[in-house]
Every structure is written in structure tokens, then in C-alpha cells.
Amino acid sequence: MEKLLIINANELVTCSGSAAKFGVEAMNDLGVIENGAIAMEDGIITHVGTTEEVMSQINADEYGVIDAAGKAVTPGFVDSHTHFIFGGYRADEYDWRLRGLSYVEIMERGGGIINSVKGTEDASLEELVDLGLKRLDSMLSFGVTTVEGKSGYGLYKDTELKQLEALKICDERHELDVVKTFLGAHSVPKEYKGRGMDFIDYTIEEVLPVVAENKLAEFCDIFCEDKVFSVEESRKLLLKAQELGLKSKIHADEIVQLGGSELAAEIGATSADHLLQASDEGIKAMAEAGVVATCLPCTAFSLKEHYARARYMVDQGCAVAVATDFNPGSCHTESIPLAIALSTLYMGLTTEETITALTINGAAAVGRADTVGSLDVGKKADVIVHEFPSYKFLPYHIGVSTVELVIKNGQVAFVK
Ligand code: NIG
Ligand code: FE
């Protein structure tokens, strides 16, 4: 298997660590090594240090060498919240939104998630896989090397399982690592209107056991929101899923302050996501319970909502992750540069915090901080070479990707 070496990096941004980083000090510490080098073998990082240190420990003749002089090198990004498997698009709805209709108004007109459920039901497994693979290619070009993907455009068993199968095949066929999340409770189907708990019972009895038994997902997620699923319904589903071995995620406190953040802390969820309306108490509870607070600024931007209070969350000691929320409705973008721009300009995070949020904290949000998200010996060799000398160019080159080359599992997977 190949041996690969990167030398002379102006800044080797390690983001070193094997767990989520909580609070201001930890999130601002990027572990930068000047004139850094990194050696990889069989897809795993074997050496990290200054170029001088690494060169003295290896036989460079055995390696393919990338000279990163004048460039910044970072871990591959972890996009820890997406819905990238779906059939059909909702460009018309986007147009309605531009004309003033709110997300909830569109949902009440029968648009929104239900519309993508139809498109996903109509798509074959192969079509979903083909679309998924193309979307993963695009993510890779932005430097993403691990991505979380959710079901949730099936609601009922057959299409939910088809989506999870598509995620599995995409993981197998594409270089990117795909973390699978079961989100059957993404919307209440019209047959269950006003009977959310009955739909939760259906999900628990008919779908969840199949997902768990066949290990089709690592996480169970739910849209805990006014007019969708209550805190009580969310607790019931997520606790049952935990019993069956699935870790928890929650779409929490996005549109209304319902208490999803508090629930995440109560049940030991791995992450709570969106959080635009999260209360001070909920934020404190997440910090104390070690729940990763995942902020999705591209969604707030696209919906013209105010942004999650990421600055306050970090100040309160939270581990904040930032993700794209790529999906066909509320946020049809997989753009990491947009997420970086919004995170720094509108959520008040520093450049360092934003990079931590997209690497090691993103990895923690998908339960993989021990294997990805930083440049540490023993981790997967997932690395980005950027075309500029400093990580400070990531937000500064506003909305434009600085990614020049991506290494996934120790092999070059993308070159600009
Ligand atoms: O994360 N908030 C709920 N779920 C998705 C929206 C999905 C859609 O609109 O299709 C989200 O934004
Ligand atoms: Fe989402």
C-alpha cells in the first residue's frame, strides 16, 4: 500500500485531539505546527511534526512526496448534518419563499418535507445512489472527507429502508465515509395528522427494529418541533432507539423554543442540531451533559431566520460543531465556504473556532472523534492542502473554496 508524505507546510493545522473540544480555550487551540509535515501509510497517519522532525524519523525515499511550501494543511472536514439522499427537487418552493412565504406556511400548503417524500418514493434505489454519489463528489471538492447522511424522506418503512440502503451503498462505493442516521420521524404523514404519538408507535414497532437488527444506522434522529413531534414523542422514540443500540441526535429548538436542547442533555444525545431558539438553560445543560451543539448557519441564511447563538454557546462552555444541513428544501447547499463565511461573520465564531467546529467537533458529533477530525498519529489520513499559506484565508476568501488537494484514507482523492 502507498506511503505518502506532505512536507514544508507553512501551517500544519492539526486540530489535535480525540474528543469534542468544549469552550473558548479548547476551541481556539488549533495545534498549528509551522513548517509541518505528515507521513501516512496504509491510509493511517504515522508521523506528525515539523518537517525536520518527520524527515529524521522516516526514509523519505519510500514515500510519494507532496511539497506544501506556502500552503496551509488541515484535517478533512466533517459535515456532521446532511440529508443528501433524496429524489426530486423543490426549486418551485424556493421561489415561493423568495416571494415571501415562510417555511411553515409552505409546509402547511402540503409542501416541504412531504414533497421530497413523494420524490424519494418515486426514485429507484439505483437513482438515489447515483444522485448520492454525485453529491458526495461535490462535497469532496469542498474538502469534506466524512459526512453524515439521514433518511427521513420515506417516513414509512419501505422508503426509509431504501434511503438507508442508498446511504450504505454510497459509503461502500465512494471514498468519503458516510455516517448513517435514521430519521423516520422527520414529519407526521397525513394519515397520522394530529396523532403524532401513534406514528411514533408505528416507527417503534415497524421500522426501528429492522434498522437496529440490520445495523442500517448508527444514529436515530427526530424533528422535535411545534406542529411536528413533541418533546414527549421525541423522548419516547430516542430512548427506545438507545435501548436497541442507536445513539441519539435531535433537530432541536429550530423554529420554536420547545425544549429539544434540554431533552438532548437529559437523554445524553450525541448532538442537538439547529438550536436557533435554544434557551440559556438548554445551552447550559448541553455544555454540562457533553452534547455537541451543532449549528447550521446555511439553513438560517436560506430561511432568512436569525442565527443560532454559537458565540454564546462557546462562551458557556459548549462544544459547537458547524455543518451544512444540505437538503432539498430548507437548505439546498453543500457549500463549506458558505458555512465558514456565515459562522464567522454572523454567528460570531472566530476562525479557529469555526475550523474546530468543522473538524474535530464535527467528528465528535458523529461519534468518530477517535478516528477522524484531526491530524494525529493513528487516525485516518484525511487531509486537505489549501492553496493559501494560512488557515486564516479560509474565511477571508469569502464564499470561495481554498481547497487545492484532498487526501482521503492516505490517497489523493481530489485535485483542483
Ligand atoms: O434540517 N428541520 C428539519 N429538517 C430539515 C429540513 C428538510 C427539508 O426541508 O426537506 C432541516 O432543515
Ligand atoms: Fe436537518
Side-chain angles (χ1 to χ4, degrees), residues 325-357:
D325 193 21
F326 177 53
N327 74 64
S330 66
C331 187
H332 189 236
T333 183
E334 68 278 37
S335 172
I336 296 290
L338 180 61
I340 291 173
L342 300 175
S343 176
T344 47
L345 287 172
Y346 292 113
M347 292 204 307
L349 295 188
T350 64
T351 302
E352 290 81 2
E353 288 163 347
T354 299
I355 292 173
T356 298

PDB file of all heavy atoms in Angstrom, residues 325-357:
ATOM      1  N   ASP A 325     -26.127  21.070   6.626  1.00  0.00           N
ATOM      2  CA  ASP A 325     -27.553  20.706   6.577  1.00  0.00           C
ATOM      3  C   ASP A 325     -28.037  20.544   5.137  1.00  0.00           C
ATOM      4  O   ASP A 325     -29.222  20.731   4.848  1.00  0.00           O
ATOM      5  CB  ASP A 325     -28.420  21.730   7.324  1.00  0.00           C
ATOM      6  CG  ASP A 325     -29.834  21.234   7.572  1.00  0.00           C
ATOM      7  OD1 ASP A 325     -30.058  20.016   7.548  1.00  0.00           O
ATOM      8  OD2 ASP A 325     -30.744  22.083   7.776  1.00  0.00           O
ATOM      9  N   PHE A 326     -27.138  20.209   4.225  1.00  0.00           N
ATOM     10  CA  PHE A 326     -27.530  20.031   2.820  1.00  0.00           C
ATOM     11  C   PHE A 326     -28.803  19.190   2.717  1.00  0.00           C
ATOM     12  O   PHE A 326     -28.859  18.062   3.196  1.00  0.00           O
ATOM     13  CB  PHE A 326     -26.383  19.334   2.079  1.00  0.00           C
ATOM     14  CG  PHE A 326     -26.685  19.018   0.635  1.00  0.00           C
ATOM     15  CD1 PHE A 326     -27.136  20.004  -0.215  1.00  0.00           C
ATOM     16  CD2 PHE A 326     -26.514  17.731   0.140  1.00  0.00           C
ATOM     17  CE1 PHE A 326     -27.413  19.715  -1.551  1.00  0.00           C
ATOM     18  CE2 PHE A 326     -26.789  17.434  -1.191  1.00  0.00           C
ATOM     19  CZ  PHE A 326     -27.235  18.437  -2.036  1.00  0.00           C
ATOM     20  N   ASN A 327     -29.842  19.746   2.112  1.00  0.00           N
ATOM     21  CA  ASN A 327     -31.113  19.029   1.929  1.00  0.00           C
ATOM     22  C   ASN A 327     -31.884  19.677   0.781  1.00  0.00           C
ATOM     23  O   ASN A 327     -31.507  20.749   0.308  1.00  0.00           O
ATOM     24  CB  ASN A 327     -31.898  19.011   3.259  1.00  0.00           C
ATOM     25  CG  ASN A 327     -32.513  20.353   3.609  1.00  0.00           C
ATOM     26  OD1 ASN A 327     -33.372  20.865   2.913  1.00  0.00           O
ATOM     27  ND2 ASN A 327     -32.044  20.958   4.713  1.00  0.00           N
ATOM     28  N   PRO A 328     -32.961  19.031   0.313  1.00  0.00           N
ATOM     29  CA  PRO A 328     -33.638  19.561  -0.880  1.00  0.00           C
ATOM     30  C   PRO A 328     -34.554  20.755  -0.606  1.00  0.00           C
ATOM     31  O   PRO A 328     -35.076  21.353  -1.548  1.00  0.00           O
ATOM     32  CB  PRO A 328     -34.478  18.363  -1.352  1.00  0.00           C
ATOM     33  CG  PRO A 328     -34.734  17.575  -0.105  1.00  0.00           C
ATOM     34  CD  PRO A 328     -33.508  17.750   0.746  1.00  0.00           C
ATOM     35  N   GLY A 329     -34.765  21.085   0.670  1.00  0.00           N
ATOM     36  CA  GLY A 329     -35.757  22.112   0.978  1.00  0.00           C
ATOM     37  C   GLY A 329     -35.180  23.322   1.672  1.00  0.00           C
ATOM     38  O   GLY A 329     -34.861  24.332   1.037  1.00  0.00           O
ATOM     39  N   SER A 330     -34.996  23.205   2.977  1.00  0.00           N
ATOM     40  CA  SER A 330     -34.643  24.387   3.762  1.00  0.00           C
ATOM     41  C   SER A 330     -33.248  24.902   3.457  1.00  0.00           C
ATOM     42  O   SER A 330     -32.941  26.062   3.747  1.00  0.00           O
ATOM     43  CB  SER A 330     -34.746  24.065   5.256  1.00  0.00           C
ATOM     44  OG  SER A 330     -33.778  23.103   5.622  1.00  0.00           O
ATOM     45  N   CYS A 331     -32.394  24.047   2.867  1.00  0.00           N
ATOM     46  CA  CYS A 331     -31.003  24.463   2.692  1.00  0.00           C
ATOM     47  C   CYS A 331     -30.330  23.619   1.614  1.00  0.00           C
ATOM     48  O   CYS A 331     -29.655  22.643   1.918  1.00  0.00           O
ATOM     49  CB  CYS A 331     -30.265  24.293   4.027  1.00  0.00           C
ATOM     50  SG  CYS A 331     -28.611  24.939   3.989  1.00  0.00           S
ATOM     51  N   HIS A 332     -30.528  24.026   0.368  1.00  0.00           N
ATOM     52  CA  HIS A 332     -30.002  23.211  -0.725  1.00  0.00           C
ATOM     53  C   HIS A 332     -28.568  23.654  -1.062  1.00  0.00           C
ATOM     54  O   HIS A 332     -28.292  24.224  -2.122  1.00  0.00           O
ATOM     55  CB  HIS A 332     -30.940  23.338  -1.945  1.00  0.00           C
ATOM     56  CG  HIS A 332     -30.591  22.381  -3.028  1.00  0.00           C
ATOM     57  ND1 HIS A 332     -30.315  22.771  -4.307  1.00  0.00           N
ATOM     58  CD2 HIS A 332     -30.427  21.041  -2.997  1.00  0.00           C
ATOM     59  CE1 HIS A 332     -30.013  21.718  -5.037  1.00  0.00           C
ATOM     60  NE2 HIS A 332     -30.069  20.656  -4.270  1.00  0.00           N
ATOM     61  N   THR A 333     -27.684  23.421  -0.119  1.00  0.00           N
ATOM     62  CA  THR A 333     -26.269  23.703  -0.401  1.00  0.00           C
ATOM     63  C   THR A 333     -25.363  22.790   0.412  1.00  0.00           C
ATOM     64  O   THR A 333     -25.630  22.524   1.587  1.00  0.00           O
ATOM     65  CB  THR A 333     -25.889  25.171  -0.109  1.00  0.00           C
ATOM     66  OG1 THR A 333     -24.511  25.367  -0.477  1.00  0.00           O
ATOM     67  CG2 THR A 333     -26.035  25.545   1.356  1.00  0.00           C
ATOM     68  N   GLU A 334     -24.299  22.349  -0.247  1.00  0.00           N
ATOM     69  CA  GLU A 334     -23.257  21.569   0.423  1.00  0.00           C
ATOM     70  C   GLU A 334     -21.991  22.419   0.539  1.00  0.00           C
ATOM     71  O   GLU A 334     -20.894  21.896   0.714  1.00  0.00           O
ATOM     72  CB  GLU A 334     -22.982  20.260  -0.343  1.00  0.00           C
ATOM     73  CG  GLU A 334     -22.326  20.406  -1.718  1.00  0.00           C
ATOM     74  CD  GLU A 334     -23.302  20.743  -2.845  1.00  0.00           C
ATOM     75  OE1 GLU A 334     -24.249  21.519  -2.611  1.00  0.00           O
ATOM     76  OE2 GLU A 334     -23.098  20.266  -3.980  1.00  0.00           O
ATOM     77  N   SER A 335     -22.182  23.738   0.479  1.00  0.00           N
ATOM     78  CA  SER A 335     -21.022  24.636   0.420  1.00  0.00           C
ATOM     79  C   SER A 335     -20.382  24.859   1.789  1.00  0.00           C
ATOM     80  O   SER A 335     -20.940  25.556   2.651  1.00  0.00           O
ATOM     81  CB  SER A 335     -21.451  25.985  -0.169  1.00  0.00           C
ATOM     82  OG  SER A 335     -20.398  26.907  -0.052  1.00  0.00           O
ATOM     83  N   ILE A 336     -19.202  24.313   1.969  1.00  0.00           N
ATOM     84  CA  ILE A 336     -18.435  24.565   3.188  1.00  0.00           C
ATOM     85  C   ILE A 336     -17.971  26.040   3.248  1.00  0.00           C
ATOM     86  O   ILE A 336     -18.044  26.667   4.310  1.00  0.00           O
ATOM     87  CB  ILE A 336     -17.239  23.590   3.279  1.00  0.00           C
ATOM     88  CG1 ILE A 336     -17.738  22.131   3.412  1.00  0.00           C
ATOM     89  CG2 ILE A 336     -16.298  23.957   4.429  1.00  0.00           C
ATOM     90  CD1 ILE A 336     -18.398  21.775   4.723  1.00  0.00           C
ATOM     91  N   PRO A 337     -17.537  26.622   2.117  1.00  0.00           N
ATOM     92  CA  PRO A 337     -17.149  28.040   2.188  1.00  0.00           C
ATOM     93  C   PRO A 337     -18.287  28.947   2.663  1.00  0.00           C
ATOM     94  O   PRO A 337     -18.048  29.912   3.400  1.00  0.00           O
ATOM     95  CB  PRO A 337     -16.755  28.379   0.745  1.00  0.00           C
ATOM     96  CG  PRO A 337     -16.336  27.066   0.160  1.00  0.00           C
ATOM     97  CD  PRO A 337     -17.214  26.031   0.799  1.00  0.00           C
ATOM     98  N   LEU A 338     -19.523  28.639   2.276  1.00  0.00           N
ATOM     99  CA  LEU A 338     -20.651  29.442   2.762  1.00  0.00           C
ATOM    100  C   LEU A 338     -20.820  29.243   4.271  1.00  0.00           C
ATOM    101  O   LEU A 338     -21.026  30.210   5.021  1.00  0.00           O
ATOM    102  CB  LEU A 338     -21.948  29.066   2.022  1.00  0.00           C
ATOM    103  CG  LEU A 338     -23.195  29.837   2.450  1.00  0.00           C
ATOM    104  CD1 LEU A 338     -23.039  31.337   2.213  1.00  0.00           C
ATOM    105  CD2 LEU A 338     -24.442  29.322   1.711  1.00  0.00           C
ATOM    106  N   ALA A 339     -20.705  28.001   4.719  1.00  0.00           N
ATOM    107  CA  ALA A 339     -20.834  27.730   6.164  1.00  0.00           C
ATOM    108  C   ALA A 339     -19.749  28.476   6.943  1.00  0.00           C
ATOM    109  O   ALA A 339     -20.018  29.036   8.018  1.00  0.00           O
ATOM    110  CB  ALA A 339     -20.734  26.224   6.424  1.00  0.00           C
ATOM    111  N   ILE A 340     -18.539  28.515   6.400  1.00  0.00           N
ATOM    112  CA  ILE A 340     -17.437  29.219   7.085  1.00  0.00           C
ATOM    113  C   ILE A 340     -17.721  30.727   7.135  1.00  0.00           C
ATOM    114  O   ILE A 340     -17.547  31.377   8.168  1.00  0.00           O
ATOM    115  CB  ILE A 340     -16.096  28.943   6.362  1.00  0.00           C
ATOM    116  CG1 ILE A 340     -15.679  27.476   6.556  1.00  0.00           C
ATOM    117  CG2 ILE A 340     -14.999  29.883   6.870  1.00  0.00           C
ATOM    118  CD1 ILE A 340     -14.453  27.040   5.754  1.00  0.00           C
ATOM    119  N   ALA A 341     -18.199  31.265   6.023  1.00  0.00           N
ATOM    120  CA  ALA A 341     -18.481  32.708   5.976  1.00  0.00           C
ATOM    121  C   ALA A 341     -19.537  33.082   7.014  1.00  0.00           C
ATOM    122  O   ALA A 341     -19.385  34.042   7.779  1.00  0.00           O
ATOM    123  CB  ALA A 341     -18.943  33.099   4.572  1.00  0.00           C
ATOM    124  N   LEU A 342     -20.610  32.304   7.066  1.00  0.00           N
ATOM    125  CA  LEU A 342     -21.716  32.638   7.975  1.00  0.00           C
ATOM    126  C   LEU A 342     -21.330  32.393   9.431  1.00  0.00           C
ATOM    127  O   LEU A 342     -21.734  33.141  10.328  1.00  0.00           O
ATOM    128  CB  LEU A 342     -22.958  31.824   7.601  1.00  0.00           C
ATOM    129  CG  LEU A 342     -23.480  32.071   6.178  1.00  0.00           C
ATOM    130  CD1 LEU A 342     -24.637  31.122   5.868  1.00  0.00           C
ATOM    131  CD2 LEU A 342     -23.917  33.517   5.987  1.00  0.00           C
ATOM    132  N   SER A 343     -20.559  31.345   9.649  1.00  0.00           N
ATOM    133  CA  SER A 343     -20.133  31.027  11.009  1.00  0.00           C
ATOM    134  C   SER A 343     -19.303  32.165  11.597  1.00  0.00           C
ATOM    135  O   SER A 343     -19.483  32.560  12.758  1.00  0.00           O
ATOM    136  CB  SER A 343     -19.323  29.728  10.974  1.00  0.00           C
ATOM    137  OG  SER A 343     -18.818  29.435  12.240  1.00  0.00           O
ATOM    138  N   THR A 344     -18.413  32.709  10.784  1.00  0.00           N
ATOM    139  CA  THR A 344     -17.527  33.759  11.289  1.00  0.00           C
ATOM    140  C   THR A 344     -18.213  35.126  11.285  1.00  0.00           C
ATOM    141  O   THR A 344     -18.142  35.865  12.262  1.00  0.00           O
ATOM    142  CB  THR A 344     -16.232  33.820  10.444  1.00  0.00           C
ATOM    143  OG1 THR A 344     -16.593  33.809   9.060  1.00  0.00           O
ATOM    144  CG2 THR A 344     -15.328  32.634  10.744  1.00  0.00           C
ATOM    145  N   LEU A 345     -18.914  35.443  10.198  1.00  0.00           N
ATOM    146  CA  LEU A 345     -19.484  36.790  10.100  1.00  0.00           C
ATOM    147  C   LEU A 345     -20.764  36.951  10.910  1.00  0.00           C
ATOM    148  O   LEU A 345     -21.023  38.006  11.461  1.00  0.00           O
ATOM    149  CB  LEU A 345     -19.793  37.130   8.629  1.00  0.00           C
ATOM    150  CG  LEU A 345     -18.592  37.417   7.732  1.00  0.00           C
ATOM    151  CD1 LEU A 345     -19.033  37.543   6.284  1.00  0.00           C
ATOM    152  CD2 LEU A 345     -17.884  38.691   8.176  1.00  0.00           C
ATOM    153  N   TYR A 346     -21.581  35.906  10.957  1.00  0.00           N
ATOM    154  CA  TYR A 346     -22.908  36.075  11.567  1.00  0.00           C
ATOM    155  C   TYR A 346     -23.149  35.264  12.832  1.00  0.00           C
ATOM    156  O   TYR A 346     -24.074  35.565  13.573  1.00  0.00           O
ATOM    157  CB  TYR A 346     -24.009  35.804  10.531  1.00  0.00           C
ATOM    158  CG  TYR A 346     -24.033  36.870   9.471  1.00  0.00           C
ATOM    159  CD1 TYR A 346     -23.698  36.592   8.162  1.00  0.00           C
ATOM    160  CD2 TYR A 346     -24.341  38.188   9.808  1.00  0.00           C
ATOM    161  CE1 TYR A 346     -23.680  37.574   7.194  1.00  0.00           C
ATOM    162  CE2 TYR A 346     -24.327  39.192   8.854  1.00  0.00           C
ATOM    163  CZ  TYR A 346     -23.995  38.883   7.551  1.00  0.00           C
ATOM    164  OH  TYR A 346     -23.976  39.875   6.613  1.00  0.00           O
ATOM    165  N   MET A 347     -22.375  34.217  13.074  1.00  0.00           N
ATOM    166  CA  MET A 347     -22.556  33.512  14.359  1.00  0.00           C
ATOM    167  C   MET A 347     -21.481  33.929  15.358  1.00  0.00           C
ATOM    168  O   MET A 347     -21.492  33.466  16.488  1.00  0.00           O
ATOM    169  CB  MET A 347     -22.539  31.992  14.168  1.00  0.00           C
ATOM    170  CG  MET A 347     -23.754  31.482  13.390  1.00  0.00           C
ATOM    171  SD  MET A 347     -24.145  29.759  13.705  1.00  0.00           S
ATOM    172  CE  MET A 347     -22.598  28.949  13.383  1.00  0.00           C
ATOM    173  N   GLY A 348     -20.559  34.777  14.925  1.00  0.00           N
ATOM    174  CA  GLY A 348     -19.589  35.335  15.863  1.00  0.00           C
ATOM    175  C   GLY A 348     -18.482  34.393  16.286  1.00  0.00           C
ATOM    176  O   GLY A 348     -17.776  34.665  17.258  1.00  0.00           O
ATOM    177  N   LEU A 349     -18.301  33.290  15.583  1.00  0.00           N
ATOM    178  CA  LEU A 349     -17.203  32.394  15.946  1.00  0.00           C
ATOM    179  C   LEU A 349     -15.897  32.914  15.342  1.00  0.00           C
ATOM    180  O   LEU A 349     -15.899  33.517  14.261  1.00  0.00           O
ATOM    181  CB  LEU A 349     -17.455  30.966  15.449  1.00  0.00           C
ATOM    182  CG  LEU A 349     -18.646  30.217  16.060  1.00  0.00           C
ATOM    183  CD1 LEU A 349     -18.647  28.756  15.602  1.00  0.00           C
ATOM    184  CD2 LEU A 349     -18.641  30.284  17.583  1.00  0.00           C
ATOM    185  N   THR A 350     -14.807  32.663  16.022  1.00  0.00           N
ATOM    186  CA  THR A 350     -13.508  33.010  15.459  1.00  0.00           C
ATOM    187  C   THR A 350     -13.186  32.016  14.335  1.00  0.00           C
ATOM    188  O   THR A 350     -13.824  30.959  14.214  1.00  0.00           O
ATOM    189  CB  THR A 350     -12.395  32.910  16.528  1.00  0.00           C
ATOM    190  OG1 THR A 350     -12.301  31.536  16.947  1.00  0.00           O
ATOM    191  CG2 THR A 350     -12.676  33.809  17.719  1.00  0.00           C
ATOM    192  N   THR A 351     -12.176  32.349  13.557  1.00  0.00           N
ATOM    193  CA  THR A 351     -11.740  31.431  12.500  1.00  0.00           C
ATOM    194  C   THR A 351     -11.330  30.094  13.117  1.00  0.00           C
ATOM    195  O   THR A 351     -11.665  29.023  12.603  1.00  0.00           O
ATOM    196  CB  THR A 351     -10.541  32.046  11.754  1.00  0.00           C
ATOM    197  OG1 THR A 351     -10.958  33.305  11.240  1.00  0.00           O
ATOM    198  CG2 THR A 351     -10.056  31.156  10.629  1.00  0.00           C
ATOM    199  N   GLU A 352     -10.616  30.166  14.241  1.00  0.00           N
ATOM    200  CA  GLU A 352     -10.130  28.946  14.898  1.00  0.00           C
ATOM    201  C   GLU A 352     -11.313  28.094  15.375  1.00  0.00           C
ATOM    202  O   GLU A 352     -11.329  26.870  15.183  1.00  0.00           O
ATOM    203  CB  GLU A 352      -9.220  29.317  16.091  1.00  0.00           C
ATOM    204  CG  GLU A 352      -7.881  29.929  15.696  1.00  0.00           C
ATOM    205  CD  GLU A 352      -7.951  31.423  15.354  1.00  0.00           C
ATOM    206  OE1 GLU A 352      -9.051  32.023  15.449  1.00  0.00           O
ATOM    207  OE2 GLU A 352      -6.909  31.994  14.978  1.00  0.00           O
ATOM    208  N   GLU A 353     -12.294  28.750  15.999  1.00  0.00           N
ATOM    209  CA  GLU A 353     -13.470  28.006  16.481  1.00  0.00           C
ATOM    210  C   GLU A 353     -14.229  27.367  15.323  1.00  0.00           C
ATOM    211  O   GLU A 353     -14.721  26.231  15.425  1.00  0.00           O
ATOM    212  CB  GLU A 353     -14.394  28.948  17.262  1.00  0.00           C
ATOM    213  CG  GLU A 353     -13.834  29.356  18.616  1.00  0.00           C
ATOM    214  CD  GLU A 353     -14.525  30.575  19.211  1.00  0.00           C
ATOM    215  OE1 GLU A 353     -15.277  31.272  18.500  1.00  0.00           O
ATOM    216  OE2 GLU A 353     -14.287  30.862  20.407  1.00  0.00           O
ATOM    217  N   THR A 354     -14.305  28.098  14.219  1.00  0.00           N
ATOM    218  CA  THR A 354     -15.031  27.577  13.057  1.00  0.00           C
ATOM    219  C   THR A 354     -14.334  26.337  12.499  1.00  0.00           C
ATOM    220  O   THR A 354     -14.989  25.344  12.147  1.00  0.00           O
ATOM    221  CB  THR A 354     -15.140  28.679  11.976  1.00  0.00           C
ATOM    222  OG1 THR A 354     -15.874  29.774  12.535  1.00  0.00           O
ATOM    223  CG2 THR A 354     -15.828  28.178  10.724  1.00  0.00           C
ATOM    224  N   ILE A 355     -13.015  26.380  12.453  1.00  0.00           N
ATOM    225  CA  ILE A 355     -12.276  25.215  11.938  1.00  0.00           C
ATOM    226  C   ILE A 355     -12.425  24.033  12.894  1.00  0.00           C
ATOM    227  O   ILE A 355     -12.652  22.895  12.465  1.00  0.00           O
ATOM    228  CB  ILE A 355     -10.803  25.591  11.677  1.00  0.00           C
ATOM    229  CG1 ILE A 355     -10.751  26.574  10.493  1.00  0.00           C
ATOM    230  CG2 ILE A 355      -9.960  24.351  11.385  1.00  0.00           C
ATOM    231  CD1 ILE A 355      -9.385  27.163  10.211  1.00  0.00           C
ATOM    232  N   THR A 356     -12.353  24.300  14.193  1.00  0.00           N
ATOM    233  CA  THR A 356     -12.596  23.228  15.173  1.00  0.00           C
ATOM    234  C   THR A 356     -13.997  22.646  14.984  1.00  0.00           C
ATOM    235  O   THR A 356     -14.201  21.419  15.035  1.00  0.00           O
ATOM    236  CB  THR A 356     -12.438  23.781  16.613  1.00  0.00           C
ATOM    237  OG1 THR A 356     -11.096  24.235  16.776  1.00  0.00           O
ATOM    238  CG2 THR A 356     -12.750  22.728  17.653  1.00  0.00           C
ATOM    239  N   ALA A 357     -14.958  23.536  14.733  1.00  0.00           N
ATOM    240  CA  ALA A 357     -16.360  23.112  14.587  1.00  0.00           C
ATOM    241  C   ALA A 357     -16.565  22.226  13.360  1.00  0.00           C
ATOM    242  O   ALA A 357     -17.485  21.400  13.331  1.00  0.00           O
ATOM    243  CB  ALA A 357     -17.261  24.345  14.505  1.00  0.00           C
TER     244      ALA A 357
END
